[in-house]
Amino acid sequence: MTYITKPKFHHPKLPVNGLGLTHRDYEGTISTLCAGCGHDSITAAIVQACFDLDLPPHRVAKLSGIGCSSKTPAYFLGAAHGFNSVHGRMPSVLTGANLANRDLIYLGVSGDGDSASIGLGQFAHAVRRGINMVYIVENNGVYGLTKGQFSATADRNSKSKRGVVNRDGPIDLAALALQLGATFVARSFSGDKAQLVPLIAAALSHRGSAIIDCLSPCVAFNNHAGSTKSFDFVREHNAAVNRLDVIEGRSQIEAQYAPGEVETVEQHDGSVLVLRKLATDYDPHDRLSAMAYLHERAAHGEIVTGLLYVDPDAVDLHAHLGTVETPLNALGENELCPGSEILTRINASLR
Ligand SMILES: Cc1ncc(C[n+]2csc(CCOP(=O)(O)OP(=O)(O)O)c2C)c(N)n1
Ligand code: SF4
Ligand SMILES: [Mg+2]
């Protein structure tokens, strides 16, 4: 079974938003991810942000690649347009859809493998073109769906569950997005809903490439040697009547802390994230300072979270190309065919 629908009934007194819709109207099918996966928290934050903004779900187009993260669009905005593309190819599909119909709200959801490994080129070109989209990378440093290989965002010298040490340097997608000219760049943590929901809402209101690099722990690939509840132990000590993978449910990791503070978060595998939330006097309007700050804090082993950079006057790909206001897919024959006289003139100008 690839998806499980949710029961339709709900409490009649559920709070409604400005459109008269409840949270349930912004949800999708039941998640089939591992219990405690950070990606589910991001799904909940997307649901909350869209509810808060009174977004009509059918005005949203959600697109993804392949991966556990890329499965998540099934779990929110069930009434939205959806397209689950090929691994690493979501950005080009989103670009095409956006060019054809500029009137929809484009929400791309991807993983660190999807965007920083196989899809790095696609990510880079979508960002530099300034496509009007929200692009969320659910970043766990591994290929969760294919059982925990390092992705290109994994830190040098980090250890996989099998004890392999990663010798490659990491790609920082927020730093890269800044360098590529994204007009909204943020980083957050799946367990910090108080920070993440407003960031998603702000990104949805931004007209340009809005990138959110969201750290999202993978609970499945975190076995400790010697644990009797580890993935390997259970498999080795289990007479198989079915070929099943057993994944232990964990509670989601949460972290709430004030602006300007540093918070250490221990992940399920024992590794530690050192998060620094931007101070309230941080100025997010200076691209160069944002880049310098990211690198400076990274040198201290800290991961900066918050709104790193925003250009409130951003213009998108359609403005760069000078396309008409009417979505291209709504143009009729009259607009698309200028008539033989004008065509003759164009042809003459090209001789
Ligand atoms: C062209 C292609 N190559 C490889 C794969 C196998 N594959 C599926 S998902 C995945 C990695 C997913 O990692 P990530 O994007 O980080 O998502 P996560 O599962 O960690 O959320 C890979 C390598 C594939 N489906 N297609
Ligand atoms: S394998 Fe990791 S990323 Fe995939 S659903 Fe499980 S916890 Fe989430
Ligand atoms: Mg991943």
Side-chain angles (χ1 to χ4, degrees):
M1 184 183 293
T2 53
Y3 68 90
I4 309 165
T5 47
K6 282 188 181 168
K8 290 231 177 340
F9 59 86
H10 57 74
H11 196 282
K13 293 220 171 97
L14 275 185
V16 292
N17 66 7
L19 296 178
L21 300 175
T22 69
H23 260 88
R24 293 301 303 272
D25 298 309
Y26 289 86
E27 293 174 357
T29 58
I30 291 175
S31 171
T32 55
L33 302 185
C34 307
C37 177
H39 299 350
D40 279 335
S41 306
I42 301 174
T43 293
I46 292 171
V47 167
Q48 183 68 47
C50 294
F51 174 87
D52 291 349
L53 287 177
D54 298 339
L55 281 192
H58 69 282
R59 299 304 304 154
V60 178
K62 45 182 189 172
L63 295 99
S64 62
I66 300 288
C68 299
S69 36
S70 292
K71 285 171 67 179
T72 63
Y75 313 140
F76 59 81
L77 298 181
H81 304 273
F83 196 94
N84 191 204
S85 73
V86 180
H87 196 25
R89 272 59 165 193
M90 176 270 283
S92 55
V93 178
L94 190 152
T95 304
N98 181 295
L99 278 170
N101 185 357
R102 62 187 298 170
D103 268 2
L104 296 178
I105 297 157
Y106 288 91
L107 175 54
V109 178
S110 181
D112 42 303
D114 203 55
S115 287
S117 298
I118 194 170
L120 186 62
Q122 295 241 340
F123 172 81
H125 291 293
V127 173
R128 83 180 173 85
R129 287 185 173 127
I131 295 154
N132 187 12
M133 64 178 173
V134 178
Y135 191 125
I136 300 177
V137 181
E138 304 190 343
N139 188 350
N140 53 18
V142 291
Y143 301 164
L145 191 71
T146 53
K147 306 212 176 295
Q149 303 88 345
F150 291 122
S151 80
T153 66
D155 286 322
R156 176 170 278 144
N157 295 329
S158 56
K159 235 187 207 176
S160 78
K161 72 165 192 169
R162 299 209 181 278
V164 178
V165 177
N166 179 35
R167 300 294 178 200
D168 299 333
I171 292 174
D172 180 333
L173 286 171
L176 188 60
L178 282 168
Q179 199 272 321
L180 290 164
T183 45
F184 180 109
V185 181
R187 177 141 54 209
S188 192
F189 176 60
S190 60
D192 189 353
K193 211 172 166 190
Q195 182 190 56
L196 183 55
V197 172
L199 280 177
I200 295 172
L204 284 164
S205 311
H206 180 75
R207 197 186 169 114
S209 284
I211 311 299
I212 303 179
D213 177 25
C214 191
L215 302 173
S216 177
C218 169
V219 299
F221 296 100
N222 55 1
N223 299 315
H224 308 83
S227 165
T228 55
K229 290 193 174 60
S230 72
F231 198 80
D232 292 342
F233 185 94
V234 173
R235 234 203 315 236
E236 279 162 26
H237 294 79
N238 195 9
V241 284
N242 263 316
R243 184 109 191 104
L244 295 177
D245 284 342
V246 180
I247 295 180
E248 187 190 358
R250 307 276 185 125
S251 51
Q252 290 177 4
I253 302 172
E254 293 184 0
Q256 299 213 355
Y257 57 115
E261 280 187 7
V262 173
E263 172 88 355
T264 51
V265 177
E266 186 171 341
Q267 300 199 86
H268 297 92
D269 62 354
S271 63
V272 173
L273 297 175
V274 183
L275 304 178
R276 171 179 286 276
K277 195 173 282 190
L278 289 169
T280 39
D281 61 357
Y282 173 87
D283 176 12
H285 299 104
D286 185 339
R287 185 184 295 276
L288 287 182
S289 303
M291 291 167 84
Y293 190 65
L294 265 188
H295 290 298
E296 186 222 316
R297 293 328 306 171
H300 287 82
E302 292 175 4
I303 305 162
V304 181
T305 72
L307 177 57
L308 296 160
Y309 175 73
V310 63
D311 174 0
D313 304 317
V315 288
D316 76 337
L317 175 69
H318 283 278
H320 299 152
L321 293 177
T323 52
V324 289
E325 282 302 316
T326 312
L328 300 186
N329 68 343
L331 295 177
E333 204 181 322
N334 286 347
E335 293 92 1
L336 292 172
C337 183
S340 53
E341 200 182 305
I342 294 178
L343 277 179
T344 309
R345 230 184 298 146
I346 292 172
N347 284 341
S349 74
L350 295 172
R351 284 199 184 98

